[in-house]
Amino acid sequence: MTYINQTNYPHVSYPTLTDLPELGGSKATVKSSGCGLCATCMVVENMTGKSFPLIDCLELSIAVNANHSPGTDLEVLAPYVAERFDLDLVMTEDPELVREHLKKGFMAVACAAGDRPEEDYVGVFSHGGHYIAVIGIDEDNEHIRILDPSQVPGKYEIEGRRDKVIVNGHILHSTMKVLAEDCRRRETANYEDGSFKKWLEYEEKKGTRKEWNRYFLFSPRA
């Protein structure tokens, strides 16, 4: 089982926010901003058995300008990854499509939304936006297995997470209900002022993005 932890790469530069350089994303690294890269590599390697080194994914992201966001914009990167590895790709906001996808033995990258103070909600997989790899579902079609690129000791022992995730080495056990609630998109107005909110406002002002997909479903091309 391939597992990649972004915290091991503080020395690998990954410039982000390339469309808004005034926000200082040039100092970003894989440790600070590379969860999308790590999650995507883990899904590709574990599902296909093919090699997809982290540095290859990073270079692809920069080449296609998927690093224009505060981290990685998978709506930009995922189609290129799918093409490279001869995969089908579905991008969606619907967690029920994820459930059906996993039942077929396939994998997905999911985008957690983080804390929602306006709802007194503690983000399960991160306090901020974060990509994770969803690698399987149990026979009950509810309990799922996840690889978290930023897993560190004690992360899932804090209040608000402790009863929602069971840690078994690098594999996290949770449920579709927990995943769906954690990935539910927040409205831009609810984010604290900062680079992520400014990027969201920038994207919305451009008017080119019709939706904000939370799940990226990869499967072998038929």
Side-chain angles (χ1 to χ4, degrees):
M1 175 69 68
T2 295
Y3 175 71
I4 305 171
N5 193 310
Q6 69 189 93
T7 67
N8 293 330
Y9 299 93
H11 56 290
V12 180
S13 176
Y14 181 47
T16 59
L17 281 167
T18 52
D19 285 354
L20 297 168
E22 67 274 14
L23 297 180
S26 62
K27 297 180 181 180
T29 65
V30 170
K31 179 179 179 179
S32 68
S33 307
C35 57
L37 305 177
C38 297
T40 302
C41 289
M42 288 191 287
V43 164
V44 169
E45 291 204 355
N46 288 317
M47 191 179 70
T48 70
K50 298 177 181 178
S51 176
F52 192 24
L54 177 62
I55 193 64
D56 287 4
C57 191
L58 184 153
E59 291 176 350
L60 177 61
S61 178
I62 292 174
V64 301
N65 198 33
N67 61 325
H68 72 116
S69 71
T72 303
D73 188 344
L74 273 190
E75 293 200 12
V76 175
L77 179 62
Y80 288 95
V81 173
E83 184 63 27
R84 175 176 290 192
F85 290 94
D86 198 28
L87 300 172
D88 284 331
L89 170 68
V90 174
M91 300 187 290
T92 182
E93 292 184 287
D94 186 354
E96 289 306 311
L97 291 183
V98 182
R99 190 194 307 272
E100 294 304 312
H101 181 76
L102 296 172
K103 286 166 61 177
K104 297 175 183 176
F106 305 138
M107 300 182 184
V109 176
C111 184
D115 296 341
R116 298 195 294 270
E118 66 276 11
E119 300 177 19
D120 293 324
Y121 177 82
V122 176
V124 176
F125 298 103
S126 179
H127 291 302
H130 184 54
Y131 289 109
I132 55 177
V134 189
I135 61 170
I137 193 167
D138 292 350
E139 291 183 358
D140 63 3
N141 295 327
E142 175 60 22
H143 288 82
I144 57 176
R145 298 181 297 281
I146 291 167
L147 298 175
D148 174 9
S150 70
Q151 183 184 347
V152 294
K155 178 175 179 177
Y156 293 101
E157 295 175 8
I158 70 170
E159 193 65 33
R161 294 176 179 171
R162 190 178 302 115
D163 298 328
K164 297 178 180 179
V165 176
I166 297 174
V167 179
N168 181 13
H170 292 314
I171 299 178
L172 309 179
H173 298 265
S174 191
T175 66
M176 280 300 307
K177 181 179 180 181
V178 168
L179 181 71
E181 182 64 18
D182 210 54
C183 292
R184 180 161 58 85
R185 181 178 175 263
R186 295 174 71 194
E187 294 300 321
T188 299
N190 290 329
Y191 283 93
E192 294 182 2
D193 290 338
S195 60
F196 189 70
K197 184 174 183 178
K198 288 181 179 179
W199 177 72
L200 288 172
E201 292 172 339
Y202 170 77
E203 287 290 294
E204 291 173 351
K205 186 176 180 180
K206 284 198 304 184
T208 56
R209 192 182 297 266
K210 297 180 180 178
E211 55 189 346
W212 295 87
N213 292 300
R214 312 304 299 172
Y215 309 101
F216 302 83
L217 317 182
F218 293 94
S219 59
R221 186 164 293 167

